[in-house]
Amino acid sequence: MHWCGLLIIAVAACSAADSVAIEIETHDPAIVRVELFIAAGPCTTCDGVAPPGTDPTVANAKPLGDVSYVVGTDRFDTRVDSDGIAGFLIKPGAQTSTVPKLAAIGFDANGAPLGFVVDDTSFDLEPLLGTKRRYQLESRTVQQAMGTGNDQIITWRTDGLDPAHPAPSCVAIVRHDGHTEFFVPEADPDCDGFVAPNECDPTWYKYKQPAGSAPPECLVTDLGACQIGKSGTCVDGDSAPACTSLDKFCVPQVACNACMPPYSETCLTSIATDATATHLHCQIPIFTGPMTNPTTCITASDLISLDQLYATPCTVGFVQADNGNITDSIDITTTNGDIAGTLVRTGFAPACSFGFSTMITVSHIPTSTTATIAKGALAVTQNGAETLLMPVVVTYVDGGAITDCLSAPTKPMCEILPAPASTGDTLWSCAAHH
């Protein structure tokens, strides 16, 4: 919304042919100044605004309601005259003459709000030019806190550096019916003086992220290796929080370029088909024959000796995609459901070797000769501390016809690819965490 001019006068008894006079009348002698808020349009991405003193550690503490941006970058206020009237002149803008809604707040000599009025009815200035609109500003019981019951006002603002152009206030008006309206400046909707990139939440006054909250996961290169981390606590006025290693999982180096921001295990899974990304690859044959359904037979793959790849003793398990719990199997069901089942880990410490047996139901042979899926992530731990995390790729291949599983010519084959020596992946030089 664009406005050609917005003039403030001390007395609104007279109007001009090119403007509309807005008169705010009060009979409370304690109200000496009035601030006018003219909506320029709604904030479509705001669900409310948190005033000073709102505790981010309390659930649902942020007040919700309709948020309107106000016209202009100055604070439009004027003194109440001897007749109890504060007046303003409004001129139509170059592209619009509509006022969607307006509000006015009355203040005492100490700046405390004593009353308010809101007009939620949109009106056009053009047919009203040369006329006056008068609003009655009644004294209300005003509390500078959110609550229920009586109508309430909460006002706050950041003092600007230019006394001639004071910053507009932020206003939350809580009606007795529970409906809340906000009038805020678009440049700083929470009136805390902070803007991007030093603003954590533009609708929360001097926001400080609670220490107990769960910040987004991220990836960070720490000690030369790509590791899972978390963003630091965000505080308004500080620079954007940096990603800090959790001293937990190292991931393939490719992930630090492909999976930020933000990190997710879904992204880690997706890089499995990247030829340069370290991953566990299992090739599982599917056999046909006199059996009722095609089968993989219950056979185990050869063992992978992890201590040949990573220098210290280890235990092995799988980490599920969502909750990070260590388990010993992973779902390897195809998207269309033709093949359903899991890989079950075999082998364990102290040999530091592991393989997999298959527990799979096959309803149909894959339509293509080779069916490849990327599912889940393999986690390797050292002395109880999680160290390595890599994606898993499963390839189903046609094993041919057999008379029984004892005559199966091939078994599942699992290996870690590509060979560590060929890639120099920092995953293999990642320091043990304790």
Side-chain angles (χ1 to χ4, degrees):
M1 181 175 290
H2 301 278
W3 295 77
C4 285
L6 186 58
L7 303 178
I8 301 175
I9 58 176
V11 179
C14 56
S15 59
D18 62 347
S19 60
V20 176
I22 302 295
E23 296 185 344
I24 310 299
E25 183 179 17
T26 177
H27 299 292
D28 185 345
I31 296 177
V32 299
R33 298 190 69 84
V34 171
E35 185 171 359
L36 182 68
F37 303 85
I38 300 175
C43 173
T44 57
T45 59
C46 305
D47 59 358
V49 180
T54 310
D55 188 351
T57 66
V58 177
N60 303 316
K62 176 181 174 180
L64 304 181
D66 298 328
V67 181
S68 296
Y69 290 138
V70 295
V71 172
T73 58
D74 292 344
R75 183 185 189 192
F76 301 133
D77 71 329
T78 190
R79 296 193 64 82
V80 176
D81 66 13
S82 58
D83 294 325
I85 294 175
F88 306 87
L89 285 178
I90 306 176
K91 292 184 178 181
Q95 298 182 17
T96 181
S97 63
T98 300
V99 175
K101 63 173 71 174
L102 62 78
I105 308 293
F107 298 90
D108 67 11
N110 296 318
L114 298 183
F116 70 91
V117 64
V118 177
D119 184 358
D120 284 325
T121 304
S122 175
F123 61 91
D124 188 0
L125 294 174
E126 292 288 355
L128 301 176
L129 294 179
T131 66
K132 294 184 292 187
R133 292 174 69 89
R134 178 169 290 190
Y135 297 92
Q136 185 70 39
L137 189 72
E138 297 182 0
S139 298
R140 312 285 181 99
T141 301
V142 176
Q143 301 176 17
Q144 287 289 81
M146 305 301 288
T148 58
N150 295 329
D151 292 337
Q152 298 172 0
I153 313 169
I154 304 170
T155 65
W156 70 101
R157 70 186 182 95
T158 298
D159 291 331
L161 298 177
D162 184 358
H165 300 281
S169 301
C170 280
V171 175
I173 299 174
V174 188
R175 300 174 187 266
H176 62 275
D177 59 4
H179 180 70
T180 304
E181 289 188 88
F182 302 88
F183 291 83
V184 300
E186 184 172 4
D188 186 15
D190 55 6
C191 288
D192 62 1
F194 300 119
V195 297
N198 296 325
E199 179 91 274
C200 301
D201 187 332
T203 63
W204 198 301
Y205 181 84
K206 294 186 178 180
Y207 182 79
K208 180 177 180 179
Q209 184 177 3
S213 64
E217 287 188 312
C218 54
L219 293 177
V220 61
T221 298
D222 188 23
L223 299 176
C226 185
Q227 300 183 26
I228 294 176
K230 285 195 174 182
S231 297
T233 299
C234 189
V235 179
D236 277 356
D238 290 346
S239 58
C243 182
T244 303
S245 171
L246 294 176
D247 287 339
K248 195 170 183 182
F249 282 115
C250 291
V251 296
Q253 192 172 1
V254 172
C256 264
N257 294 326
C259 294
M260 278 296 291
Y263 162 79
S264 70
E265 197 160 302
T266 300
C267 183
L268 182 67
T269 300
S270 71
I271 69 171
T273 52
D274 186 324
T276 65
T278 299
H279 62 278
L280 174 71
H281 179 224
C282 289
Q283 182 171 283
I284 301 175
I286 299 176
F287 307 105
T288 57
M291 296 78 69
T292 304
N293 289 312
T295 183
T296 60
C297 293
I298 303 177
T299 56
S301 70
D302 289 336
L303 298 181
I304 300 170
S305 181
L306 196 64
D307 60 0
Q308 295 180 8
L309 303 171
Y310 203 73
T312 55
C314 59
T315 58
V316 181
F318 281 109
V319 58
Q320 294 179 341
D322 294 330
N323 57 28
N325 291 333
I326 302 297
T327 61
D328 61 359
S329 64
I330 190 169
D331 171 50
I332 53 173
T333 302
T334 56
T335 303
N336 61 12
D338 287 350
I339 303 173
T342 59
L343 284 179
V344 179
R345 190 199 62 223
T346 60
F348 205 58
C352 201
S353 299
F354 62 95
F356 301 92
S357 65
T358 54
M359 300 292 292
I360 297 175
T361 300
V362 183
S363 59
H364 298 89
I365 295 292
T367 54
S368 59
T369 303
T370 301
T372 300
I373 59 172
K375 295 289 289 263
L378 169 69
V380 179
T381 68
Q382 293 187 119
N383 302 322
E386 298 89 343
T387 300
L388 309 179
L389 186 63
M390 67 186 76
V392 177
V393 170
V394 177
T395 301
Y396 294 105
V397 297
D398 188 351
I402 58 174
T403 57
D404 56 62
C405 281
L406 293 177
S407 64
T410 58
K411 60 183 178 180
M413 182 181 71
C414 293
E415 58 186 334
I416 293 178
L417 297 175
S422 67
T423 63
D425 196 330
T426 57
L427 180 73
W428 301 115
S429 61
C430 185
H433 302 300
H434 299 286

